Amino acid sequence: MKFRLPLLAPLKRHPTYMKLIFYFVSANILVLGISFVLLYWQSSKTLLEEIGDHSESLLVNGSRNTARLMEWALEFSFSSSDDSTLKVYALSDQYSDFETFEVWSRLMDIKNANPSIDSVYLINDYTNTVIDSRLGLNDTDAFYDQDIIERLRDPLTADHSVLIPRTLSIPLIGNKPKEVITIVRFYEKGSSISAFVLNVDTHNIMTLLQNNSNYAKRLITVLNDTDETVFSSTPLNQEQIAEFRSHRSKEESGWKIFQPRNQGEQLMVYADSSIKGIQDWTFIETIPMPVILGKITVLRNTSIILFLILFVASLIAIVLISKRVYSPIQELISRVMRQHQAEKPGEGYNANELDYLSNVFTSQRNQIHELTEQWRHNKILGKERFLRDFLGDIYHSVEEICSQFQEWGIDLPENHLSVAIFRIDHFSQFSKTYTEKDRLLLRFAISNIIEESLQSSKHKLQTVDMGNDHVAVVLSAPLSEEFTKKLQVAQQLIEQYLSIGTTVAWGRTLPSLTDMHEVYLETYELTQERFRLGPGSLVVKAWLANVPEELYHLPVDKERQIAQALPKGNSDTVLEIMRSAVVKLRELPYFECKMSLITLFMDIRRLMQEHSSQPLPSSWGLTSIENQFIQLETMENVVPWMEALVTKTLEDITAARSQSKNAALIEQADQFIEEQLTDPNLSAKMLADHLDLSVNYFRSLYKAETNQSITDMISAKRLNYICQELLASDSPIEQIIHNFGFSSLNTFYSIFKKVYGMTPAQYRRMYKNGNTVEHEITR
């Protein structure tokens, strides 16, 4: 006797529906079961590793960014301390109130340059005074920061004058202590404590570290390489610092679980950073384990409950969705069956609906594949696209490239390939003359000319239209003068038939087919050599001369000659120096040549600005210069433009200076300086008294008219005569210095080294034996 269940009868007639539910339920149970096991087995360990690695990454980034901020402060302090006004003031034994105010204003500008800077001092050991950005002028003995004074006077601590972590009591607000990092720049180390001091706010510079994460009870500590505490969010004693050091591994960064004395387990994350190679800092972050694992436990338990709820909901959803989804599937299967049987009579029905549908879809996929294969055999477009990708993208294997060669019928060997590029000259004008469609046709014509001119060669090649301004040629020809001449013939034919000038570059031989993209980029960069060689050049990488890849800088004596010629409006001297520099630049590779030319331009711009009372025109801007270089393309076009700009600007400066109402007064002052140059009392006040003017008015007037202070002019003229005397006689240096009005040897040596970059003795040795130096008294 057989029992029948009426509810199961429809399901038996639809085995696909039953399988659908069975597969979904089985997959759901399997996924949830595996997830449940893995959650209890690996959750704590995996999440802790993720948290540790993430915390390490955050601390490494924070330490690097903090180190960069500190390096910026260090570089900024050293560049600021080189200010000639500050340096001269720190080494002077007397000064005026105006000079003090000017120095204090510069210190305030330095302090306001960045919110991380707390304060800036300038210590003058000769006058026993300190100018502070916060309080102004102070006596050294009464200065509120006696700690730094004592450090500088103590030989043991004076040697460690960079990145000093310390606590500073701030005046005016109840001597509230503040953590700072102090940077000291001595002006006469070993002779005096005259120095430039910059204090960086520690909490401000450590802001990035403190904002890394929001863990409760988290401790951040920064130690230097002498175990001094640079920063700590909680005060530490030496025992705790030593404990941190002992548990830290030797790697630059990492994390570990450790248990401090009388405390619970903690996650310690550490990272090292070097500050300009001067000092190494260790960044340490500790997080209590309960803070981390407490959240993990809650997350794990919550996930288990959610999985159970999801499991029940999934079972219900599977039954409902399967029922609603199966009807369209059944209708689709019936429709496909009718269509398939109409197209292929005699093929019967498969009891398994999904197998039948799969067979139909497989047949259709084969048909689509056949159509796709036909489309892919469009040789012209497909081959061009592959060659463009071959040059302009990176292929990962030689097998893939060879397969594409075979598929597209490309007849090239696997070895000894190279790339030549025909790049259109004056492309900006070319783009304005022709539309995009016409440019495409012209590049197609260039490719045809190249193929026809080289087809008689026994070597194989493929041309590729790379768009924009160039056509590439993949060659199997080895380096030879014969083939180079063929490339030159192709270049000439393009000029003859299309009236288009091109620069041709031939790169190195491929080490491997996978290096084609790199060699193509190198060859394209090689076409840039037309900047110094001119348009229509033929550049072969193997035949380029090996020259040092270094930038050219204008020699000091040449720069001094330009500075002497500018006040006189002597454009011939400036242009002559420029042309001699350009001759040397042509010997450099493209990048160094271009950058050196820009540097030369900027140096001339700086010198002109120093002798101009008005800002230079926008043509001297860096953006304008770069745009001109791109538009003009070659040095033979750029240099005349530069010379015309220099001549025009110099004429404008000379015309403006000649119109000055005070020119006669300045001339009298210069004449008086010449007459009294050996008088050690020669000064701005002496000149003002001679001209019946107030000293402050005369200083401002002279600075506005000559763009140079009276003191600097007197020093320059004295230095000029001293240099001549150094080379013309063997008299002692000290006697020569006193003969020309310098009363302070320290001041003279400081000024001489700043101007000439060497001591007087070195200058005499360098230029006296056969070397020539041009001397001219500068006004």
Side-chain angles (χ1 to χ4, degrees):
M1 181 177 182
K2 296 182 179 180
F3 296 94
R4 296 184 178 179
L5 296 177
L7 294 177
L8 297 179
L11 298 179
K12 291 182 178 179
R13 292 195 298 270
H14 301 287
T16 302
Y17 180 65
M18 293 296 297
K19 290 181 180 180
L20 190 65
I21 294 178
F22 176 78
Y23 292 151
F24 279 172
V25 171
S26 300
N28 187 45
I29 294 175
L30 180 63
V31 171
L32 292 178
I34 294 175
S35 301
F36 182 83
V37 173
L38 292 177
L39 179 67
Y40 271 90
W41 182 37
Q42 284 286 347
S43 61
S44 296
K45 178 181 177 182
T46 303
L47 289 175
L48 184 61
E49 289 178 352
E50 291 293 326
I51 292 173
D53 293 341
H54 181 66
S55 299
E56 178 189 349
S57 176
L58 289 177
L59 186 63
V60 169
N61 290 334
S63 66
R64 289 175 180 171
N65 291 333
T66 302
R68 291 191 188 102
L69 289 176
M70 200 64 244
E71 289 177 347
W72 176 90
L74 188 63
E75 292 175 352
F76 182 73
S77 67
F78 274 68
S79 62
S80 300
S81 66
D82 284 334
D83 188 289
S84 60
T85 302
L86 300 182
K87 189 172 182 180
V88 171
Y89 187 93
L91 299 175
S92 299
D93 54 3
Q94 59 181 354
Y95 46 78
S96 65
D97 293 339
F98 176 79
E99 291 171 334
T100 300
F101 175 77
E102 185 180 12
V103 170
W104 178 78
S105 298
R106 295 202 180 191
L107 294 181
M108 287 300 296
D109 292 340
I110 294 171
K111 192 254 180 213
N112 295 330
N114 191 281
S116 299
I117 299 176
D118 176 72
S119 56
V120 188
Y121 315 151
L122 188 66
I123 302 174
N124 188 328
D125 195 32
Y126 293 97
T127 60
N128 203 30
T129 57
V130 179
I131 294 185
D132 173 30
S133 62
R134 185 180 284 110
L135 297 181
L137 185 64
N138 307 265
D139 290 331
T140 303
D141 296 334
F143 186 52
Y144 66 90
D145 189 5
Q146 288 297 311
D147 174 64
I148 195 63
I149 302 297
E150 293 172 2
R151 285 176 179 266
L152 298 184
R153 286 176 175 166
D154 187 353
L156 296 178
T157 57
D159 290 336
H160 304 284
S161 59
V162 178
L163 304 180
I164 307 171
R166 60 195 189 96
T167 302
L168 177 64
S169 296
I170 304 176
L172 302 179
I173 56 174
N175 288 330
K176 182 179 178 181
K178 176 178 279 190
E179 300 295 325
V180 298
I181 301 172
T182 300
I183 303 169
V184 179
R185 175 74 184 277
F186 281 102
Y187 287 119
E188 292 179 322
K189 190 170 184 180
S191 300
S192 68
I193 66 167
S194 294
F196 175 89
V197 180
L198 185 142
N199 293 317
V200 180
D201 190 336
T202 303
H203 285 274
N204 195 308
I205 210 77
M206 298 296 175
T207 301
L208 295 175
L209 284 177
Q210 299 180 69
N211 295 336
N212 261 352
S213 62
N214 297 320
Y215 285 117
K217 299 180 181 180
R218 142 181 185 266
L219 170 64
I220 297 177
T221 303
V222 182
L223 306 175
N224 62 19
D225 45 17
T226 58
D227 283 348
E228 290 180 298
T229 302
V230 177
F231 171 77
S232 180
S233 56
T234 302
L236 299 175
N237 54 39
Q238 291 299 321
E239 182 179 356
Q240 291 174 306
I241 293 175
E243 190 172 25
F244 280 152
R245 285 289 192 186
S246 64
H247 282 87
R248 180 190 171 281
S249 300
K250 295 182 179 180
E251 292 80 7
E252 292 184 356
S253 64
W255 62 272
K256 65 183 301 185
I257 306 298
F258 88 115
Q259 184 171 4
R261 189 175 303 173
N262 301 325
Q263 297 183 37
E265 281 191 335
Q266 297 187 5
L267 173 67
M268 183 176 77
V269 187
Y270 50 86
D272 288 344
S273 284
S274 176
I275 312 297
K276 283 291 184 183
I278 298 174
Q279 195 176 96
D280 295 329
W281 284 5
T282 299
F283 296 77
I284 300 174
E285 178 182 10
T286 60
I287 307 170
M289 291 297 294
V291 174
I292 301 174
L293 293 181
K295 295 182 180 180
I296 294 176
T297 303
V298 173
L299 176 63
R300 183 180 61 185
N301 295 336
T302 304
S303 300
I304 294 173
I305 296 173
L306 291 175
F307 275 148
L308 293 176
I309 296 173
L310 180 62
F311 177 75
V312 175
S314 299
L315 291 178
I316 298 172
I318 286 171
V319 174
L320 296 177
I321 293 174
S322 299
K323 184 176 181 181
R324 294 181 65 87
V325 169
Y326 180 74
S327 296
I329 294 177
Q330 181 63 37
E331 183 180 352
L332 173 63
I333 293 174
S334 300
R335 198 180 322 147
V336 170
M337 288 172 57
R338 289 193 297 270
Q339 180 180 356
H340 187 253
Q341 289 177 354
E343 293 175 351
K344 297 183 178 182
E347 292 192 16
Y349 171 79
N350 192 326
N352 191 317
E353 300 152 316
L354 292 182
D355 288 343
Y356 184 85
L357 190 62
S358 175
N359 292 334
V360 173
F361 286 163
T362 300
S363 175
Q364 292 180 348
R365 185 186 65 183
N366 292 335
Q367 294 177 6
I368 293 173
H369 181 70
E370 291 175 2
L371 294 175
T372 303
E373 287 297 316
Q374 293 176 5
W375 171 81
R376 291 184 63 188
H377 281 80
N378 188 337
K379 293 295 183 180
I380 298 176
L381 296 179
K383 178 180 178 181
E384 187 76 9
R385 183 175 59 252
F386 162 70
L387 287 173
R388 191 179 296 113
D389 291 341
F390 181 43
L391 294 176
D393 204 347
I394 298 175
Y395 276 78
H396 299 288
S397 67
V398 176
E399 292 77 13
E400 181 183 3
I401 297 172
C402 293
S403 175
Q404 293 290 325
F405 276 8
Q406 184 176 3
E407 179 178 352
W408 298 111
I410 297 174
D411 188 14
L412 286 175
E414 298 181 18
N415 301 317
H416 306 297
L417 291 179
S418 59
V419 177
I421 291 180
F422 287 72
R423 187 174 179 184
I424 300 172
D425 293 326
H426 310 296
F427 184 69
S428 58
Q429 185 64 35
F430 178 81
S431 300
K432 295 177 183 177
T433 306
Y434 301 101
T435 64
E436 176 60 32
K437 182 177 181 181
D438 292 335
R439 295 199 297 269
L440 179 62
L441 292 175
L442 285 171
R443 290 195 301 270
F444 178 75
I446 291 173
S447 299
N448 287 337
I449 291 174
I450 295 171
E451 289 181 351
E452 289 178 4
S453 62
L454 301 179
Q455 67 182 355
S456 60
S457 172
K458 62 181 178 181
H459 304 292
K460 300 175 181 178
L461 61 93
Q462 289 286 342
T463 58
V464 189
D465 180 5
M466 299 303 294
N468 290 330
D469 64 345
H470 66 289
V471 172
V473 186
V474 183
L475 303 167
S476 64
L479 178 65
S480 65
E481 292 186 1
E482 178 184 358
F483 199 85
T484 304
K485 291 179 180 178
K486 291 181 179 294
L487 293 176
Q488 192 170 20
V489 169
Q491 183 184 27
Q492 295 170 351
L493 290 174
I494 293 172
E495 174 71 19
Q496 178 181 347
Y497 292 119
L498 303 179
S499 298
I500 297 175
T502 57
T503 295
V504 181
W506 190 8
R508 63 186 173 94
T509 303
L510 284 175
S512 170
L513 284 176
T514 56
D515 295 320
M516 175 60 77
H517 175 63
E518 181 180 351
V519 173
Y520 160 73
L521 293 180
E522 290 178 3
T523 308
Y524 184 83
E525 186 68 17
L526 201 60
T527 62
Q528 303 282 19
E529 294 293 335
R530 71 180 177 187
F531 178 77
R532 62 189 182 95
L533 301 178
S537 301
L538 176 59
V539 186
V540 181
K541 182 177 180 62
W543 294 346
L544 285 178
N546 293 324
V547 294
E549 296 181 352
E550 59 185 14
L551 296 179
Y552 171 84
H553 296 281
L554 196 63
V556 175
D557 59 327
K558 297 297 183 183
E559 186 172 330
R560 188 164 62 252
Q561 291 178 30
I562 294 177
Q564 293 171 353
L566 289 177
K568 302 176 181 180
N570 188 355
S571 61
D572 292 338
T573 300
V574 178
L575 296 180
E576 181 180 355
I577 294 174
M578 277 182 54
R579 290 163 185 158
S580 64
V582 168
V583 171
K584 296 182 179 180
L585 294 186
R586 292 185 184 274
E587 301 173 0
L588 300 177
Y590 158 72
F591 179 81
E592 287 73 16
C593 176
K594 181 178 179 181
M595 294 306 299
S596 298
L597 192 59
I598 293 176
T599 302
L600 174 64
F601 198 92
M602 291 294 99
D603 288 340
I604 296 175
R605 170 193 172 184
R606 172 176 52 80
L607 294 171
M608 281 195 167
Q609 187 63 71
E610 291 175 357
H611 292 81
S612 175
S613 58
Q614 300 294 330
L616 295 182
S618 59
S619 302
W620 287 90
L622 183 58
T623 302
S624 175
I625 295 170
E626 292 178 345
N627 290 337
Q628 286 292 339
F629 276 35
I630 294 173
Q631 183 176 355
L632 299 176
E633 288 188 353
T634 62
M635 283 185 69
E636 66 181 13
N637 295 329
V638 170
V639 173
W641 170 78
M642 288 178 59
E643 293 179 355
L645 182 59
V646 169
T647 303
K648 178 64 170 59
T649 306
L650 192 55
E651 290 174 354
D652 293 341
I653 293 174
T654 303
R657 186 180 292 115
S658 65
Q659 296 173 1
S660 173
K661 297 179 181 180
N662 300 306
L665 191 61
I666 298 303
E667 186 175 352
Q668 294 178 28
D670 288 344
Q671 183 177 357
F672 186 78
I673 291 173
E674 289 286 349
E675 295 171 353
Q676 304 296 329
L677 197 60
T678 58
D679 188 347
N681 296 320
L682 180 61
S683 63
K685 188 173 186 315
M686 185 175 178
L687 278 167
D689 292 342
H690 175 72
L691 299 173
D692 294 328
L693 299 172
S694 70
V695 64
N696 290 334
Y697 172 77
F698 181 63
R699 279 177 174 162
S700 302
L701 175 65
Y702 197 92
K703 179 73 172 179
E705 292 298 323
T706 65
N707 202 28
Q708 191 172 17
S709 69
I710 300 173
T711 303
D712 290 344
M713 175 58 74
I714 293 172
S715 297
K717 289 181 178 292
R718 284 174 171 169
L719 285 177
N720 199 16
Y721 282 113
I722 288 173
C723 287
Q724 294 182 38
E725 190 66 23
L726 286 172
L727 300 180
S729 71
D730 295 324
S731 300
I733 295 175
E734 289 75 9
Q735 179 182 343
I736 295 174
I737 293 169
H738 287 297
N739 289 343
F740 285 96
F742 276 105
S743 58
S744 172
L745 291 178
N746 288 336
T747 302
F748 167 75
Y749 276 100
S750 176
I751 295 175
F752 192 94
K753 191 167 185 180
K754 176 186 175 183
V755 174
Y756 296 102
M758 63 186 76
T759 66
Q762 291 172 334
Y763 184 91
R764 173 179 273 176
R765 287 195 302 270
M766 179 175 292
Y767 295 110
K768 192 167 184 179
N769 297 326
N771 296 321
T772 59
V773 181
E774 295 185 12
H775 293 276
E776 185 178 347
I777 299 177
T778 306
R779 191 191 74 183

